[in-house]
Amino acid sequence: MLQGKKIILGITGSIAAYKSAFLTRLLVREGAEVKIILTPYGKEFITPVTLATLSKNTVITDFFNHDDGSWNSHVDLGIWADALLIAPATANTMAKMANGIADNLLLTTYFSARCPVIIVPAMDLDMFRHPATLKNMELLRSYGNFIIEPTTGELASGLEGKGRMEEPEKIVEWLKDHFKKKSRFSGKRVLITAGPTHEKIDPVRFIGNYSSGKMGYAIAAAFANEGASVELVSGPVQISLNNPSVNIHKVTSAEEMNRSASALFPAMDIVVFAAAVADYKPEKQSLSKIRRTGNAMVINLVPNEDIAGKLGRQRLENQLLVGFALESENGETNAFKKLTEKNLDMIVLNNMNVPGAGFNVDTNKIIVIGKDNNQKEFELKSKDDVAKDIINEIFNLMINRSYA
Ligand code: CTP
């Protein structure tokens, strides 16, 4: 599965760097072409000679060769690679990656990379669970990078806890799995609506909702990582996603979302309506700020278009449409009703009453309901993992349809 794959292995300054020698050997044995970039601190832990011998390639450590003046182009490296694997990744390197600091060759290559980036942290348990490290990892994930979490056990410090770099065999398995899945949706065009909409009352106020957009963005990233080309029509959110396979169309109101999604819709193979679209908007928008009068105020609301409903009526036979339903009671019944009314193939039910599910949290618990009311319930998971479950279900639908 790794035959001919071009992999840059970045090694940073951690005692776990010795495992990278085994990792290199395994990658080469699987047929991968491995180029190693060693950071200045990485060099303190493992020698370039060992790594050059195992990788059968020169190890790159500096921007310039001081003897002959030649330089190592991080841009060329970033374009060359099918994957950039950083193992071990220290808290320091992750902090720099998360915050745009590019003061060594591995970091400049990271910022130029167009390929999937896989980060394998290794550090002491307290460093790992420090809020700064956790926040940086969350940022790195939101940029579309993958993190292979450390395991729990004895650490170099003698302490016990989470921080041990994952074993080389497991990292190689992860990569093989990644490349296998990568092409599942290749050639597929996917449209996703995500986030809330803001319905303007006057120049300084709007009607909105608590949707963070995390679920829709996680689905966009999951599809892109498996080869799809994604159009993400996003309401106002605080998330950044930097994935070359995701085109983001930023909108504010339901009307703008409707316009943008409708224009893209006919060319799409798969559509996921994950946005929390406002059902109503103020009938009139005041051009100037509405003043306080001390009296009660009435804002007349008129309905917005049901985007999923409208596009469901216009659907082409080969398209696959997936909706979401956020329900506070009679979840399964209401969700199935929405699936039928909106002419969808599948609906993902979020139950508002389950702690840790729904809006503005990092986790979700879903039930996936199909056209014949078949239901599949999933555990409470991170939204990234829920996204993977959802696209697995969509893949199954795609396969079943092609055999039907
Ligand atoms: N949806 C949409 N456009 C709208 C409202 C909803 O595209 N104006 C989509 C959502 O993205 C979701 C599905 O329709 O995929 C169901 O949304 P939900 O808000 O749960 O249902 P509604 O149809 O709005 O019904 P209600 O608010 O009465 O529950």
Side-chain angles (χ1 to χ4, degrees):
M1 207 34 92
L2 297 183
Q3 191 62 41
K5 290 280 180 274
K6 300 188 188 94
I7 296 175
I8 296 178
L9 172 60
I11 303 177
T12 72
S14 154
I15 186 67
Y18 78 91
K19 288 190 184 174
S20 305
F22 294 100
L23 179 58
T24 307
R25 201 174 60 176
L26 289 179
L27 290 171
V28 171
R29 211 182 264 168
E30 290 285 342
E33 192 180 338
V34 182
K35 286 190 182 175
I36 295 180
I37 305 179
L38 203 49
T39 64
Y41 282 118
K43 265 196 282 190
E44 307 285 329
F45 289 88
I46 188 158
T47 75
V49 180
T50 308
L51 296 169
T53 312
L54 292 170
S55 69
K56 303 183 170 67
N57 257 323
T58 324
V59 172
I60 313 159
T61 52
D62 298 305
F63 287 111
F64 296 99
N65 181 332
H66 293 287
D67 297 329
D68 64 11
S70 63
W71 71 295
N72 291 309
S73 166
H74 58 90
V75 178
D76 289 348
L77 283 165
I79 292 172
W80 173 81
D82 294 315
L84 168 57
L85 174 65
I86 304 182
T90 56
N92 182 45
T93 292
M94 290 199 296
K96 289 178 178 177
M97 290 164 75
N99 293 287
I101 299 169
D103 64 358
N104 64 41
L105 187 63
L106 177 59
L107 290 161
T108 50
T109 304
Y110 163 69
F111 290 114
S112 303
R114 294 185 182 169
C115 57
V117 178
I118 303 105
I119 302 163
V120 194
M123 68 197 74
D124 200 49
L125 76 160
D126 293 305
M127 278 181 102
F128 184 72
R129 67 184 173 202
H130 194 282
T133 309
L134 296 175
K135 187 167 164 228
N136 287 331
M137 287 202 300
E138 199 185 317
L139 276 172
L140 288 168
R141 280 201 177 97
S142 76
Y143 304 156
N145 302 306
F146 299 98
I147 295 184
I148 302 183
E149 294 257 341
T151 58
T152 303
E154 192 186 335
L155 301 166
S157 59
L159 298 173
E160 283 267 327
K162 188 169 178 181
R164 284 171 64 93
M165 179 174 125
E166 182 55 283
E167 294 305 321
E169 291 79 5
K170 291 270 177 61
I171 299 172
V172 170
E173 279 312 307
W174 191 101
L175 275 176
K176 283 160 87 174
D177 195 44
H178 174 80
F179 282 117
K180 193 164 82 196
K181 274 171 137 186
K182 198 172 153 36
S183 51
R184 268 203 311 189
F185 291 100
S186 79
K188 295 285 173 215
R189 300 198 61 187
V190 180
L191 167 66
I192 295 167
T193 66
T197 64
H198 288 178
E199 309 302 322
K200 204 166 171 182
I201 298 172
D202 72 5
V204 293
R205 303 179 182 92
F206 61 83
I207 298 173
N209 59 62
Y210 290 117
S211 166
S212 62
K214 280 181 187 156
M215 197 62 252
Y217 273 66
I219 296 171
F223 268 120
N225 290 332
E226 298 202 20
S229 100
V230 181
E231 306 294 334
L232 175 61
V233 179
S234 168
V237 296
Q238 303 296 321
I239 315 174
S240 52
L241 174 63
N242 181 17
N243 188 315
S245 302
V246 182
N247 243 333
I248 303 185
H249 309 260
K250 292 203 164 161
V251 297
T252 306
S253 65
E255 209 171 306
E256 286 167 15
M257 185 172 276
N258 182 22
R259 221 176 298 135
S260 177
S262 303
L264 293 160
F265 182 73
M268 295 296 136
D269 301 301
I270 299 168
V271 185
V272 181
F273 300 99
V277 188
D279 288 327
Y280 293 90
K281 64 176 177 197
E283 186 174 23
K284 291 195 193 92
Q285 299 174 357
S286 169
L287 292 176
S288 53
K289 187 182 161 199
I290 299 172
R291 298 274 159 208
R292 178 164 50 82
T293 62
N295 299 326
M297 186 169 76
V298 174
I299 298 177
N300 208 25
L301 300 177
V302 293
N304 274 324
E305 180 91 65
D306 173 2
I307 305 171
K310 180 189 88 173
L311 297 179
R313 286 191 296 277
Q314 297 175 3
R315 64 177 292 163
L316 305 169
E317 209 178 319
N318 59 342
Q319 286 178 320
L320 219 152
L321 308 191
V322 179
F324 270 76
L326 179 67
E327 303 293 337
S328 52
E329 68 263 307
N330 303 327
E332 286 87 338
T333 314
N334 287 334
F336 185 63
K337 202 162 153 243
K338 281 178 189 172
L339 175 146
T340 315
E341 283 171 2
K342 294 177 201 254
N343 204 12
L344 308 172
D345 299 288
M346 185 177 122
I347 196 152
V348 181
L349 166 65
N350 289 319
N351 192 329
M352 258 174 67
N353 303 326
V354 175
F359 277 3
N360 229 347
V361 284
D362 290 332
T363 50
N364 207 357
K365 183 163 175 17
I366 57 162
I367 298 177
V368 169
I369 303 176
K371 259 179 144 165
D372 47 8
N373 209 359
N374 51 317
Q375 300 182 0
K376 194 162 169 184
E377 189 163 0
F378 293 82
E379 302 284 294
L380 183 77
K381 296 181 184 185
S382 74
K383 283 190 173 164
D384 287 338
D385 287 339
V386 173
K388 285 182 198 151
D389 288 338
I390 291 172
I391 73 167
N392 275 340
E393 292 306 311
I394 294 175
F395 184 72
N396 290 342
L397 267 186
M398 229 169 78
I399 294 294
N400 288 339
R401 185 180 280 186
S402 63
Y403 286 117

